[in-house]
């Protein structure tokens, strides 16, 4: 079965859960390290999603600016 692709909101919710556990559950050292590792992985995923979105926005912005410039010349 195909793995469900995580979206930004799901990853953020998971990261918030990890933070709450770290703050409220008083985890053991081993648990804290595991939470930290999971949080770092989530942050990496979020960074990739945001970086990809930024790239798409830049492309759209560049295409829009070109279109407006061409319209002004007509």
């Amino acid at each position: 079965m195909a793995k469900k692709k995580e979206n930004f909101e799901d990853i953020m919710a998971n990261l918030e859960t990890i933070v709450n556990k770290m703050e409220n559950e008083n985890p053991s050292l081993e648990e804290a390290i595991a939470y930290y590792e999971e949080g770092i992985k989530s942050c990496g995923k979020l960074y990739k999603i945001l970086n990809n979105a930024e790239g798409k926005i830049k492309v759209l912005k560049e295409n829009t600016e070109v279109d407006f410039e061409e319209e002004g010349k007509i």
Side-chain angles (χ1 to χ4, degrees):
M1 182 175 236
K3 188 176 180 180
K4 181 186 172 193
K5 186 175 180 179
E6 295 177 300
N7 63 31
F8 183 85
E9 291 78 11
D10 292 339
I11 299 169
M12 274 300 292
N14 184 49
L15 191 56
E16 289 173 3
T17 300
I18 293 168
V19 171
N20 286 332
K21 287 179 180 180
M22 293 281 288
E23 291 178 343
N24 299 319
E25 290 183 5
N26 196 18
S28 68
L29 178 60
E30 292 80 16
E31 291 172 326
I33 291 171
Y35 290 149
Y36 181 80
E37 183 178 6
E38 187 178 351
I40 292 296
K41 288 178 183 178
S42 292
C43 286
K45 291 176 185 178
L46 291 170
Y47 177 79
K48 286 180 184 179
I49 292 170
L50 290 172
N51 208 18
N52 188 30
E54 181 182 28
K56 288 178 182 179
I57 290 169
K58 284 181 181 179
V59 167
L60 291 171
K61 185 178 176 186
E62 288 172 5
N63 288 341
T64 302
E65 288 176 359
V66 170
D67 291 341
F68 286 138
E69 288 175 8
E70 289 176 4
E71 287 179 20
K73 292 179 182 178
I74 297 177

